Amino acid sequence: MLSKINRFGVRLVYVFVTLCSQAWADDFEFKQVADGIYVHHGKHLDIDDGYQGDICNLGVIIGQEAIAVIDSGGSKHTGDQLLAAIRRISPLPIRYVINTHVHPDHTYGNAAFQNGTTHFVGHEKLATNMLLRKEQYEKLNALLLGADGAASPTIPPDTLVHAEQTLDLGHRILQLQARKVAHTHTDLTILDTQTNTLFAGDLLFAQRTPVVEGDLKGLIAVLEQINQQPYSLIVPGHGLESSDQKTIIGNELRYLNLLLSDIRTSIKKGISMEQTMDTAAASEHDNWVLFDIANRRNVNVVYPQLEWE
């Protein structure tokens, strides 16, 4: 009888929270992409132009006993919206918030899930990198997001993935893999074994121009490694998920390999980095959103690295 009363009480709390959060979450759209898996698609806005803390994909995986969140958004406000949207679909406890890498658009919603029971999970280097960038990122968030940014503290992971690790949501196993230096030094992928759905984080972009911060050659190598295993669905860090693995990974590899080749050619010919920003991978211009600004930034990162090859 007590267990029935407890379950009834939990249900009443869930209904109350759901009703209270309905208006808050109504404009925060979720798409069910597989059994028990939901994705919120961030807007294709550049961080220097219209950024509102909601530009990347946020995932939710629901097991029989608990929930895992994949990335939390760029501010506590976005995290609060994500939490309210989750409560529309499930009363289960959120056991894990998994950050795919260090960038602020993926991590500053963590504050919404800080409740003493939820574990924050990331690459073995994530905690160190988040703390090293804490001052820079918090100032940037306050500048770009105002009060929302100022109210969004840095919440590093308490659970670190050193190579591979499994998490159990209750008859639902997630396989986490820490990747070598690629998009960043902190990239982590998550595979839901029940549906064979891969969350690739910002190792993979769709529609939106890929971004390189860590190592271009490393990113190409990691994508080629990922592509060796077939997946039923791949969720990129930005853009639409796809079951067409050949195309979604192939598109990014085509761009990255061209970028690598063109920058190498410029260096060999003595063409400056500034000039190369206007020419490298130019034929890809119409294939990607935000190409002009993102491609120039990529050249700015990659050119100095390749000069030392």
Side-chain angles (χ1 to χ4, degrees), residues 262-274:
D262 284 356
I263 294 176
R264 278 175 168 164
T265 298
S266 288
I267 292 171
K268 185 177 180 179
K269 292 182 176 180
I271 299 172
S272 70
M273 183 173 71
E274 289 71 23

Side-chain angles (χ1 to χ4, degrees), residues 142-158:
L143 176 65
L144 296 175
L145 300 175
D148 287 344
S152 305
T154 301
I155 309 296
D158 57 68

Side-chain angles (χ1 to χ4, degrees), residues 17-29:
V17 171
T18 300
L19 290 173
C20 290
S21 65
Q22 188 73 38
W24 179 261
D26 274 346
D27 61 348
F28 193 87
E29 295 182 359

Side-chain angles (χ1 to χ4, degrees), residues 56-169:
C56 69
N57 292 336
L58 311 177
V60 174
I61 304 176
I62 303 175
Q64 291 187 18
E65 298 173 359
I67 295 171
V69 172
I70 315 297
D71 288 329
S72 58
S75 70
K76 183 179 182 296
H77 173 73
T78 300
D80 285 336
Q81 288 183 300
L82 173 60
L83 177 57
I86 292 170
R87 287 294 166 243
R88 288 192 300 173
I89 57 178
S90 176
L92 290 174
I94 299 169
R95 186 174 294 168
Y96 304 108
V97 172
I98 306 168
N99 293 133
T100 60
H101 63 289
V102 70
H103 286 159
D105 54 313
H106 295 256
T107 60
Y108 274 89
N110 286 4
F113 298 90
Q114 199 176 23
N115 54 26
T117 60
T118 297
H119 290 283
F120 298 91
V121 185
H123 187 284
E124 62 179 338
K125 297 179 181 178
L126 181 60
T128 299
N129 273 262
M130 286 180 74
L131 293 175
L132 285 173
R133 303 182 187 204
K134 180 179 184 293
E135 182 177 0
Q136 172 195 355
Y137 279 176
E138 289 185 0
K139 284 182 178 179
L140 179 65
N141 256 8
L143 176 65
L144 296 175
L145 300 175
D148 287 344
S152 305
T154 301
I155 309 296
D158 57 68
T159 303
L160 302 180
V161 180
H162 298 282
E164 297 182 357
Q165 185 169 331
T166 60
L167 301 176
D168 188 356
L169 302 179

Side-chain angles (χ1 to χ4, degrees), residues 30-43:
F30 262 148
K31 176 183 178 182
Q32 185 168 3
V33 299
D35 180 31
I37 299 182
Y38 297 79
V39 174
H40 170 77
H41 298 101
K43 302 175 180 64

